Amino acid sequence: MPVARPIRPKKRRVAAQRTRRWLKAAPKLGLRARPGSATGDALRDCSDGETALAEARKAHDRLHEAIDLLPQGIVFFDAEGRFVLWNRKYAEIYNATSHMFRPGARFEDIVRAGVAQECYPEAKGREEEWITERMAQFAKPTNRREVTLTDGRCLLIEERATKDGGVVGLRVDITELKQREASFRLLFESNPVPMIVCEIDTKRVVGVNEAALAHYGYPREKFEKLTIHDIQAFEPDLPWDGDQSIDERNARTWQHTKADGSLIDVAVYSRRLTFEERPAALLALMDITERKRAEAHLAFAAQHDNLTGLANRALLCRQLDDRLIHTRRNRKKVAVLFLNLDGFKAINDTLGHGIGDRVLVGVARRLQSVLREEDSIARLGSDEFAIVQSDVTRPEDAALLAERLLMTNSDPYVFDGHTVMCGASIGIAIGPGDGEDADKLLKNANMALSRAKSEGRGVFSFFEADMDARAQKRRHIEMELRAAIDDGALQAHYQPLIDLKSGRITGAEALVRWPHPVRGTVSPAEFIPVAEETGLINPIGNLMLRRACMDAASWPGDARVAVNLSPLQFRVGNLLAMVMDALKQSGLPPRRLELEITETLLLEKSDHVLATLHALRALGVRISMDDFGTGYSSLSYLRSFPFDKIKIDRSFVSDLAANHEAHAIVRSIISLGMSLGVTITAEGVETEAELGCLRAEGCHEAQGFLFSRARPNAEIVQLLAAQHAVLGSAQPAVMG
Ligand code: C2E
Ligand code: MG
Ligand code: MG
């Protein structure tokens, strides 16, 4: 235990003492007497004493002035612990006892006076003990401590022994600093945001606030033993590695592990500080787990179809563009397969949207199941899907995938006892080549899809360069056709049907004619497919049906009129009502109306179609199977519905004389018709030779240029009137 040094009393003149002390203190303070100066010589040469004294006083005053400028309190003591020199700030700090300050005054006496005046709250009740401790500190070579004075001020005291056994002391008023520290501590401790202080060198958590304890669930003793790595789930970099800003933009996102093992996403705002004299970081930790989850959910929703969970068009386009960039490097290609369900609308209309949705989800699953990891799929619209196939080297790769996709979708779907068949058609475009970007490739694949649909559905088709031009032509036709319908420009012509036994005209087929102001008469073979694609077939079909019934109602005799129906007219749902209305308006007896349908209508095996056909037949209307023999399984269709008439397709008739197989086919169709009791009509009869063959085989009826082309109604009326007048003629009534 160090004890206060004994102080030997000395009697000297005050001025000499001050000078001597100053001379001792001067080198310590960095002030040197100039060599050969009066000060340096003062003690050695007593005769120059007065001058020396004057010089010394001057230097002392200068020093005094200099230290008075210091913002800290400074004080010098001699080896006996007596005051030598102090500045104004020092006197200000100890204003309660400063009146006692004078050179030679004992530090201990001043301390005692301070204690007596209760300047030191720490000393209260243990005054002597405190003074002894204080003096022991004073005697140490260095000593640094903080003291709080009774008036609330806080001082940092630093004392150091000087070489000559004295002491130099510094006093810094740290009241404000302490207040700031205290408010910082309060801000930290009671902050609702979880915060930790972490030592930069060791990564040790050295302080945590209540909010952090509550949020993370670790007890304080445990938390303050962890390092920042212990709570971090992944992210290895630390927030103070980069910008130290507390700005939101510079927040980092970490994943932290809570005490219960759960992971949370945390935005970390960091700021460097010094904690217990070591570099540390204050980390404010905002739990953004929920926000991230919501953001992820929104991001997913923005890029996916919410029914099937597949990507949407925007995401697919992005993926496709990425793949296209890739192909430039690896020289492989990307195929886009645009898939559309066949007859989906009918499913929706007849079974309801609930089943429709389930079909879509089922289709999405099946399509996905045949794709590789690197392929992607999206739902683009109601029943439209697109598949992006990567690493395509030959078109056959895409064809194989298309076949697999069609195959997987060909099995029926069964929901709540409903068996739903839902085929598909696919258009394929391959890039780069058929398009350099996602938009173009999708557009061209869609164009190829139109081709596939028109080729009979359930197939796939590749994009071809001229499809674009054709598509434009189609759009042009559509526009003009619309105008023609609105203007009432479409006409009905009638091609006679001849009974081969009697040679009489038994009826006439209504064929639509479009007299175009520039192109002459446009063939229905050209515009009917466009009308079917665009839905214009419904107004055209309606128009033809009404016109044909009206015209036929005013024909002489009881010749029938045949009207062609497109499969699309059955989808609209009001076909039966339309037919009944046309009959009613015209007054034509139903038995004089024949409706021609093609095999494509029966492809779908739809109950709705069959029901409509039966209902029409029940009205007394006759139903004909047109273009027989061109479909895939013509014979099987004969089983599905009791047709009144079969029209052998022109392609068999035109080959009759020359082609042995065609002849055999025609013969078997005729005998089939006979045994079923169905009228057989041969289409496209152009020559006498063909007519001879058909007659020989026992064909009932014929139609063709040999007899007549389709003619305007007025001409048909004349022909029928003439026939009416010459009843029973055995010769064909009309010749082309
Ligand atoms: P389709 O129903 O098989 O009609 C017979 C087609 O064969 C008609 O062609 C007719 O002019 C043509 N034709 C008749 N005899 C001969 C012949 O001896 N030789 C040749 N080479 N051709 C002959 P068109 O008028 O060009 O009609 C083509 C197709 O357009 C029709 O075939 C039918 O499927 C469709 N079509 C015509 N009018 C309508 C209509 O009002 N509604 C619907 N849905 N389709 C129609
Ligand atoms: Mg026809
Ligand atoms: Mg035909």
Side-chain angles (χ1 to χ4, degrees), residues 509-511 562-565 596-598 624-627 647 683 703:
E509 179 176 3
L511 295 163
V563 177
N564 292 287
L565 290 181
E596 296 191 4
I597 61 160
T598 53
S624 309
M625 163 81 92
D626 201 356
D627 303 341
K647 296 181 82 175
E683 290 186 300
Q703 171 185 8

Side-chain angles (χ1 to χ4, degrees), residues 477-533:
I477 292 178
E478 180 195 344
M479 228 171 56
E480 291 193 320
L481 187 58
R482 240 175 241 283
I485 296 169
D486 291 347
D487 298 347
L490 298 186
Q491 299 171 355
H493 280 206
Y494 300 92
Q495 185 177 32
L497 290 146
I498 313 300
D499 179 89
L500 292 186
K501 263 204 189 120
S502 64
R504 288 182 57 210
I505 302 172
T506 53
E509 179 176 3
L511 295 163
V512 62
R513 291 293 174 260
W514 178 10
H516 190 277
V518 181
R519 294 164 60 201
T521 304
V522 186
S523 162
E526 192 179 334
F527 69 85
I528 290 289
V530 179
E532 288 186 327
E533 253 172 53

Side-chain angles (χ1 to χ4, degrees), residues 619-724:
L619 285 179
V621 172
R622 289 162 59 95
I623 309 289
S624 309
M625 163 81 92
D626 201 356
D627 303 341
F628 186 78
T630 51
Y632 295 105
S633 50
S634 307
L635 284 179
S636 73
Y637 298 132
L638 294 181
R639 268 179 51 198
S640 60
F641 187 77
F643 288 94
D644 297 292
K645 183 184 275 189
I646 292 171
K647 296 181 82 175
I648 305 173
D649 191 68
R650 197 170 69 221
S651 55
F652 299 106
V653 176
S654 60
D655 266 4
L656 251 187
N659 188 319
H660 191 68
E661 278 92 35
H663 196 143
I665 290 171
V666 168
R667 175 183 295 157
S668 52
I669 297 175
I670 292 170
S671 72
L672 182 77
M674 283 173 169
S675 52
L676 289 174
V678 173
T679 308
I680 305 292
T681 303
E683 290 186 300
V685 182
E686 293 183 355
T687 64
E688 289 289 350
E690 288 160 6
L691 178 63
C693 271
L694 291 164
R695 270 217 174 98
E697 296 299 340
C699 183
H700 305 126
E701 215 177 49
Q703 171 185 8
F705 295 166
L706 178 65
F707 310 103
S708 171
R709 290 177 179 264
R711 299 161 178 251
N713 184 48
E715 289 181 27
I716 289 294
V717 170
Q718 279 175 14
L719 279 176
L720 289 172
Q723 173 175 277
H724 207 55

Side-chain angles (χ1 to χ4, degrees), residues 446-466:
N446 194 10
M447 220 175 281
L449 172 68
S450 302
R451 154 79 71 88
K453 289 247 174 208
S454 67
E455 275 175 359
R457 293 152 190 262
V459 295
F460 64 87
S461 178
F462 279 94
F463 171 77
E464 284 159 24
D466 64 348

